[in-house]
Amino acid sequence: MLTPNINYKSLSQSYLFPEMKRRVNLFTSKYPNIHIYNLGEGDTTQPISQTVANAMVAHVEAMKNKKAFMGYGDPLGSINLRALIKDFYNDFINKPLDISEIFISDGAKADLFNLQTLFQGKMKVAVQSPSYPVYIDSLVINGNAGRLKGHSYENITYLIGNPENNFSPPLPNKKIDLFYLCYPNNPTGTTANREQLKEYVDYAIENKAIIIYDAVYSWFIQDSKIPQSIYEIPGANKCAIEVQSLSKLASFPSIRLGWTVVPNNLLAVKGQINAIWKRRQQTSFNGASIISQAGAIALFSKQGLEENKKHILYYMENTLLIKKTCQGLGLTCYGGENAPYVWIKTPNGMGSWDFFEMLLKKSHIICTPGVGFGESGDGFFRLSGFSTKEETSEALKEMVKLFS
Ligand code: MLT
């Protein structure tokens, strides 16, 4: 008899983004002529840059030719792309990386999930709350979260982000084996400084723990004092795995390309994690699309980076406008300076989903309800800077009308 690995009900709630879509569809099916402004999911709106697009087209064209045609690629990723990524990091991190530590993927989400499959048993895991839902869901689906008691899983320590700690929670004072950290943070748009990250790194080294560091929003950092990578912190190469993505920088959410850095000398599991991850990838993955990788190689050229950094500035202008407008309306806002998200307290203590429904129905704006990122996100909503300039400014006019 087949028995599922997980009790579906133990996943505490429906997955956030499909649930938002379901509610929006319900509304638009009743009012099909209403224009909806999307400041919800962090989904890019700027087209692929010329340099990246040319490289992908050229690669497809070349594949029409018998000589240039290529079958399976390297499951670990193109050696050229891995070398470019290594050079990219080695310009600013503390200890140089080796190519063997860089694994190309089809995006951060799958890697964040798959990294969980490396571990099992009664480990103690710490996850920021609020946080990107994939961390906790992957712990649950892989059987590592323990039993659900109320709103909490027994093997998870929740690192509560709140206004008092500017959503950068301190180290918990209990033993932890595995941390999930995300900076710049999704959903709160806040950052951690070097000293805060150093505390985590020092603890992880001392306790042979691992930090899974989600750095996918690092491209948005404007303040040069904020670390772009955990590997800027001395010793992080002994304890941290970093996950990256080109979705937001290169407008690749549907093209798919990311990477994960798994250092060779992680102290946990007697330094074997790099070898286990390599084996896992070789066994379960035939590599990221070679076309996406051709685009990524072009992205790392001078021109490619210049073109794509314009996307970041574009989204950050939207984000700053969102923050300024919402503050002008008397709302309490966080983040938004080094990340494309503004985290906002709902007015009059409204619950997140109630506010989502009100904003949708009255102003026709999609926001992301804070509680979708965990219980401590209730009473907040998130607005994203990823829409177009025109849509963002029209949506904000609607918000101004609503609040006045
Ligand atoms: C978000 O809105 O939090 C992100 O776009 C979701 C994602 O990157 O999967």
Side-chain angles (χ1 to χ4, degrees):
M1 193 178 77
L2 293 177
T3 310
N5 188 23
I6 53 160
N7 173 357
Y8 190 77
K9 284 199 190 117
S10 73
L11 284 161
S12 55
Q13 53 197 342
S14 357
Y15 190 62
L16 173 63
F17 300 108
E19 175 59 17
M20 285 160 60
K21 280 189 189 127
R22 189 188 68 77
R23 290 177 185 232
V24 172
N25 289 343
L26 206 64
F27 180 67
T28 54
S29 65
K30 281 194 203 143
Y31 304 100
N33 298 323
I34 282 180
H35 181 79
I36 303 288
Y37 302 99
N38 191 356
L39 305 188
E41 188 172 5
D43 197 2
T44 52
T45 51
Q46 292 309 290
I48 301 162
S49 76
Q50 197 59 55
T51 303
V52 169
N54 289 349
M56 293 197 287
V57 170
H59 205 90
V60 175
E61 280 297 325
M63 295 269 277
K64 282 163 44 184
N65 185 314
K66 248 188 198 162
K67 278 199 188 131
F69 174 77
M70 183 185 163
Y72 288 118
D74 186 333
L76 309 181
S78 132
I79 200 77
N80 295 340
L81 178 57
R82 293 166 78 203
L84 285 168
I85 293 172
K86 173 186 75 100
D87 293 346
F88 168 76
Y89 274 101
N90 289 351
D91 269 355
F92 64 94
I93 62 171
N94 192 259
K95 251 204 147 79
L97 293 175
D98 186 75
I99 286 193
S100 61
E101 302 178 303
I102 295 160
F103 298 82
I104 308 298
S105 72
D106 61 0
K109 193 178 198 171
D111 273 7
L112 286 164
F113 181 94
N114 291 333
L115 282 165
Q116 255 315 301
T117 62
L118 302 190
F119 307 106
Q120 64 169 351
K122 273 219 160 274
M123 59 184 172
K124 297 286 173 206
V125 188
V127 184
Q128 285 168 285
S129 180
S131 68
Y132 184 39
V134 175
Y135 315 143
I136 289 183
D137 272 13
S138 58
L139 285 161
V140 177
I141 293 170
N142 286 298
N144 286 331
R147 273 172 307 173
L148 180 63
K149 293 185 174 163
H151 291 295
S152 311
Y153 291 96
E154 64 185 350
N155 294 349
I156 299 180
T157 296
Y158 295 82
L159 306 172
I160 307 292
N162 53 36
E164 288 68 50
N165 58 33
N166 197 29
F167 300 95
S168 296
L171 263 175
N173 54 6
K174 54 161 95 158
K175 172 94 170 68
I176 299 293
D177 304 303
L178 182 67
F179 292 91
Y180 280 87
L181 296 181
C182 172
Y183 290 111
N185 184 253
N186 181 14
T188 63
T190 55
T191 52
N193 62 30
R194 255 164 236 282
E195 292 67 40
Q196 286 167 318
L197 290 181
K198 186 174 178 310
E199 268 188 45
Y200 278 89
V201 167
D202 289 350
Y203 174 94
I205 291 175
E206 203 179 316
N207 293 280
K208 294 193 171 55
I210 286 204
I211 299 170
I212 296 181
Y213 194 74
D214 179 348
V216 305
Y217 295 97
S218 63
W219 311 106
F220 294 86
I221 294 174
Q222 307 294 308
D223 177 347
S224 59
K225 292 194 290 301
I226 294 170
Q228 286 176 55
S229 161
I230 186 110
Y231 301 118
E232 290 183 50
I233 311 300
N237 61 327
K238 296 191 189 126
C239 62
I241 293 174
E242 183 163 298
V243 180
Q244 254 299 3
S245 152
L246 291 189
S247 291
K248 320 287 172 180
L249 174 68
S251 293
F252 268 32
S254 58
I255 294 172
R256 311 302 303 154
L257 208 281
W259 64 85
T260 290
V261 180
V262 186
N264 284 316
N265 298 317
L266 292 172
L267 297 174
V269 199
K270 301 193 175 92
Q272 293 167 12
I273 293 185
N274 176 285
I276 301 172
W277 182 249
K278 180 175 172 185
R279 177 60 185 264
R280 191 212 173 277
Q281 293 299 84
Q282 288 170 329
T283 303
S284 69
F285 188 47
N286 271 330
S289 151
I290 202 70
I291 312 300
S292 314
Q293 295 192 70
I297 288 171
L299 178 131
F300 280 104
S301 64
K302 187 166 176 288
Q303 172 124 359
L305 281 171
E306 264 169 30
E307 285 172 15
N308 283 278
K309 281 181 182 163
K310 286 190 191 140
H311 293 161
I312 301 296
L313 294 178
Y314 181 95
Y315 297 133
M316 286 314 291
E317 278 177 23
N318 286 344
T319 312
L320 288 177
L321 183 66
I322 292 172
K323 186 162 184 180
K324 209 170 109 206
T325 308
C326 289
Q327 283 176 327
L329 294 173
L331 294 166
T332 308
C333 301
Y334 303 91
E337 267 128 39
N338 295 287
Y341 297 126
V342 186
W343 184 244
I344 308 167
K345 199 135 191 45
T346 57
N348 309 320
M350 275 178 94
S352 297
W353 279 116
D354 289 343
F355 184 81
F356 172 90
E357 293 284 345
M358 185 194 75
L359 199 64
L360 178 63
K361 288 174 186 158
K362 295 205 165 158
S363 302
H364 313 146
I365 299 171
I366 307 173
C367 68
T368 305
V371 72
F373 300 100
E375 279 308 297
S376 56
D378 205 8
F380 289 89
F381 65 103
R382 190 193 76 178
L383 292 180
S384 124
F386 284 111
S387 190
T388 62
K389 253 187 196 11
E390 298 72 26
E391 289 280 296
T392 305
S393 89
E394 288 306 310
L396 290 171
K397 282 184 200 154
E398 293 300 319
M399 271 194 80
V400 171
K401 272 194 230 158
L402 176 72
F403 280 85
S404 51

